[in-house]
Amino acid sequence: QEEEQEEELGLLQGRETFVRVLVTRTMSRLPPASAHAGLAKVVEELLGNNRLPELDVASYLPFSAPHRLKCRLWQAVTVLVPLLTPAEAERTAGMLVECLRKDERKSVRYYMELSMFCCMCRQPSLLATLLLPLLREFNADVPLASSLMIISNFAIRSYIDTAAVRGGAEGAEREEVESSLLLLRGEEIEETIVELVRHLLPWCSHHTHHIRVLACLALKRFRSSTSAVSLRKGEELLAEATMLFMQENEETSRMLSHIDRLFFSQLDVSVLASHDTVFTPVIGDGEALGEKIPDGLVQAIEREMGEYHRAMKAAKEEPERDLMVSNEEEGDVASNWMQRKYQPELDIAGRAGGQRGKQHAGEEAAGVTEGFGERKWRRRTCELVVVASLIEKMPNLAGLARTCEIFQTQALVVHDKKKMLNDQLFKQVAVSSEKWMNFQEVKDEELPAYLRRMRGEGWSIIGLEQASDSIALHKFEFPDKAILLLGKEKEGIPQPLLHLLDFCLEIPQLGMIRSLNVHVSAACTLWQWNQQFLLD
């Protein structure tokens, strides 16, 4: 083995995945003549194990023994299928269809979908003989239909990659690039892909939301990447009308672009089906926490769409609340508590002069309690800039803008200021805080230079991340001039930026969930910073 591969395998010793990685890698390195004699049989036996009594169960809990065993089985199948001959891949695909028809957890189906597409890359004729007939099963169960949409998106992405490789590389370079990717090859592949798009059109009206979205996304990607379209006249009109709607309807366009960017724009099945990706363990605090069971693509997409629609619903239902007083006649308990409303128009003049505004004389007589218009809280001199250039979701950016304005941070740094301020969802959730907040623009690729420059000007760089040397938030004393760097949604702060931090903070957690939403984490941190500098 090469030194770097030996070192990588050494890192896996003692973990759940070590034996499986070692065995499958050894099989992948055997000479083709000797490998193929037993490889197909191994894959066939693995698929047969899926019918064992302990695995062939109608339902099972997440992370239970059947769930972990199924994931191990399908991880092995995923990394071995790309090594099959075309004939063996065709035979394996037939068995995979029966597995896809069963109701499995989405994390297990994820490996099934990868394995099926790998079979199609080994034998492209399966697109016409297997995938297209399945797409004509309009009464297919939702799990099977979801998998068909994922595989179809894989196929269209691979077709686009194939065209790019053939158009941009020649000779030995082209052969080298093609050998490193799982591509759909064949003289008739373009005609088959057009048939695939034709079969996907009806699925754009499916009753299940994520299936409609995936079908529309596949159509959008195909039509946006090629002009060589030969749909029939009626289908061409339908495709054009669908494309026009996806382009003109702002919410649909925004959601499709979001899903595409998160899951398909950078998608490379050859990476997803590799040892390094399939067998990567989950690591924390220098110890193995167990084997990795990732979300399926459908599960991740459903979650993203759910978050998106919840944010939209919350923005539309933001109440315009008035001053509330208890009503004794309706049986409520009498109370002296009233909602205290701040009136910013009375405070603008005070801000301009460096002091908070004061209530005008006589207002108390008008029924406004003293202090309603002025801010009674004071804070000693301190400066904090929040850097959110890595954050993409508009609800998170809007919530950050609102929180930063409330706590009067010096600035909020974002990736694309103009796009954010023109976004309707941002405006709804930010509830006018954008009018008072100082925004700065720093592209994510410019962050290293920006952080170094700010440190040179005397600012301390603080990151909010769970790391080996993190300081508990409640034990940290903020410096007078601080930069707070927030990480990407779900991924956190990239490793190159972690090396630029002066301090790394984390919020102590007691529950099972690994992390808080990035806006919630920032809000907790901003309050902790604010209360350290508050004056009585």
Side-chain angles (χ1 to χ4, degrees):
Q1 295 176 340
E2 299 175 3
E3 290 184 7
E4 59 185 36
Q5 292 169 333
E6 288 180 347
E7 181 180 351
E8 187 177 352
L9 281 174
L11 293 173
L12 290 169
Q13 291 189 28
R15 295 183 181 143
E16 290 274 3
T17 56
F18 177 68
V19 174
R20 286 178 284 139
V21 171
L22 193 59
V23 170
T24 51
R25 280 194 173 174
T26 301
M27 296 183 71
S28 67
R29 293 189 179 119
L30 291 173
S34 56
H36 289 309
L39 193 58
K41 185 176 180 180
V42 170
V43 173
E44 185 175 344
E45 289 190 6
L46 285 169
L47 294 178
N49 286 341
N50 201 48
R51 295 191 292 270
L52 292 175
E54 58 266 34
L55 293 181
D56 192 15
V57 290
S59 62
Y60 48 91
L61 294 174
F63 307 109
S64 61
H67 190 195
R68 296 197 305 274
L69 285 171
K70 282 175 178 284
C71 284
R72 294 172 190 172
L73 183 153
W74 285 102
Q75 284 173 339
V77 171
T78 300
V79 297
L80 293 177
V81 163
L83 306 174
L84 297 175
T85 64
E88 292 165 348
E90 187 169 2
R91 195 161 53 250
T92 301
M95 293 184 281
L96 285 172
V97 170
E98 297 308 312
C99 296
L100 284 170
R101 291 186 183 278
K102 293 184 177 180
D103 188 13
E104 296 282 4
R105 301 200 73 85
K106 295 181 177 72
S107 52
V108 176
R109 299 190 73 86
Y110 167 69
Y111 292 118
M112 293 181 178
E113 292 152 4
L114 282 176
S115 299
M116 176 62 85
F117 181 69
C118 290
C119 286
M120 292 177 179
C121 288
R122 299 298 297 150
Q123 179 57 285
S125 64
L126 288 169
L127 279 174
T129 61
L130 191 64
L131 182 57
L132 296 185
L134 287 171
L135 287 171
R136 288 195 289 269
E137 295 185 14
F138 296 134
N139 289 317
D141 291 337
V142 168
L144 175 60
S146 301
S147 293
L148 295 179
M149 295 303 108
I150 293 290
I151 295 167
S152 298
N153 273 279
F154 284 162
I156 290 176
R157 168 61 194 265
S158 181
Y159 165 72
I160 295 170
D161 286 347
T162 304
V165 169
R166 290 177 176 173
E170 296 181 358
E173 181 185 357
R174 172 174 159 180
E175 291 179 5
E176 181 181 353
V177 175
E178 286 192 356
S179 65
S180 67
L181 298 173
L182 281 169
L183 299 176
L184 290 170
R185 302 174 178 86
E187 296 299 326
E188 300 178 353
I189 191 63
E190 181 172 328
E191 184 177 330
T192 306
I193 289 293
V194 171
E195 281 295 319
L196 174 60
V197 173
R198 183 176 293 138
H199 280 69
L200 285 172
L201 279 172
W203 292 93
C204 293
S205 59
H206 195 272
H207 66 90
T208 303
H209 188 196
H210 73 264
I211 293 178
R212 290 198 306 274
V213 168
L214 288 169
C216 289
L217 186 58
L219 174 63
K220 178 176 180 286
R221 289 188 63 81
F222 176 72
R223 295 299 293 262
S224 301
S225 65
T226 179
S227 59
V229 180
S230 56
L231 297 175
R232 300 185 186 98
K233 184 176 180 181
E235 293 167 335
E236 180 68 28
L237 293 173
L238 176 59
E240 285 296 329
T242 305
M243 283 293 296
L244 181 63
F245 177 82
M246 288 189 286
Q247 293 166 359
E248 296 293 331
N249 184 275
E250 292 183 3
E251 295 304 328
T252 300
S253 177
R254 185 184 294 116
M255 183 179 64
L256 287 175
S257 297
H258 178 66
I259 298 297
D260 188 26
R261 184 174 63 255
L262 281 180
F263 299 103
F264 292 104
S265 290
Q266 306 300 322
L267 195 64
D268 186 345
V269 181
S270 58
V271 173
L272 296 179
S274 68
H275 282 82
D276 294 339
T277 303
V278 170
F279 290 117
T280 300
V282 178
I283 303 299
D285 298 328
E287 297 179 0
L289 298 181
E291 55 201 310
K292 182 176 183 179
I293 300 180
D295 290 341
L297 276 176
V298 170
Q299 186 175 357
I301 290 169
E302 285 178 328
R303 184 172 58 246
E304 285 296 327
M305 291 194 302
E307 291 180 3
Y308 181 88
H309 286 298
R310 279 193 294 274
M312 287 295 300
K313 183 178 180 181
K316 291 177 180 178
E317 293 179 353
E318 183 74 25
E320 293 290 336
R321 300 182 300 174
D322 294 319
L323 191 64
M324 297 166 59
V325 188
S326 59
N327 189 340
E328 293 180 293
E329 293 181 358
E330 295 182 2
D332 293 339
V333 178
S335 171
N336 292 325
W337 293 104
M338 290 191 299
Q339 190 179 37
R340 187 163 61 88
K341 297 179 72 67
Y342 171 59
Q343 297 170 292
E345 67 275 9
L346 301 178
D347 196 36
I348 294 174
R351 283 199 193 188
Q355 299 177 350
R356 296 292 184 183
K358 300 292 183 180
Q359 287 283 14
H360 296 291
E363 284 182 339
E364 185 175 355
V368 181
T369 305
E370 182 180 359
F372 269 36
E374 63 176 309
R375 294 293 181 93
K376 68 177 182 178
W377 300 111
R378 299 292 184 269
R379 186 172 66 199
R380 67 182 174 87
T381 303
C382 59
E383 295 179 277
L384 181 71
V385 173
V386 178
V387 178
S389 297
L390 298 174
I391 297 176
E392 296 181 347
K393 296 181 180 179
M394 287 300 167
N396 285 335
L397 288 170
L400 277 172
R402 189 171 179 177
T403 305
C404 287
E405 201 285 324
I406 286 291
F407 292 121
Q408 285 290 284
T409 63
Q410 267 52 50
L412 175 60
V413 178
V414 297
H415 176 79
D416 191 335
K417 177 180 174 181
K418 182 178 179 181
K419 177 182 176 182
M420 180 187 73
L421 294 178
N422 290 330
D423 189 279
Q424 291 302 314
L425 177 58
F426 174 86
K427 293 179 181 179
Q428 290 173 337
V429 179
V431 289
S432 82
S433 59
E434 72 275 10
K435 297 179 181 179
W436 312 101
M437 191 63 215
N438 174 28
F439 294 102
Q440 298 175 7
E441 180 173 300
V442 176
K443 303 295 184 184
D444 53 3
E445 62 270 17
E446 300 169 355
L447 277 178
Y450 170 80
L451 295 176
R452 291 189 184 98
R453 175 169 60 82
M454 296 299 283
R455 178 187 284 125
E457 296 176 5
W459 295 77
S460 297
I461 313 300
I462 301 171
L464 193 57
E465 182 60 273
Q466 295 170 333
S468 55
D469 297 326
S470 294
I471 303 171
L473 177 60
H474 66 288
K475 295 181 178 180
F476 182 69
E477 291 188 12
F478 283 87
D480 290 342
K481 294 179 66 175
I483 301 287
L484 179 62
L485 176 64
L486 304 176
K488 296 182 179 180
E489 288 104 338
K490 299 183 182 178
E491 299 177 19
I493 299 176
Q495 192 65 35
L497 295 181
L498 283 176
H499 297 310
L500 300 177
L501 300 180
D502 297 313
F503 305 98
C504 194
L505 307 183
E506 70 171 295
I507 300 170
Q509 300 174 30
L510 304 178
M512 295 293 293
I513 305 301
R514 178 179 177 273
S515 62
L516 292 164
N517 168 274
V518 65
H519 165 229
V520 175
S521 298
C524 294
T525 306
L526 287 178
W527 162 244
Q528 187 71 14
W529 164 76
N530 183 68
Q531 65 91 20
Q532 286 188 18
F533 293 94
L534 281 177
L535 299 174
D536 292 336

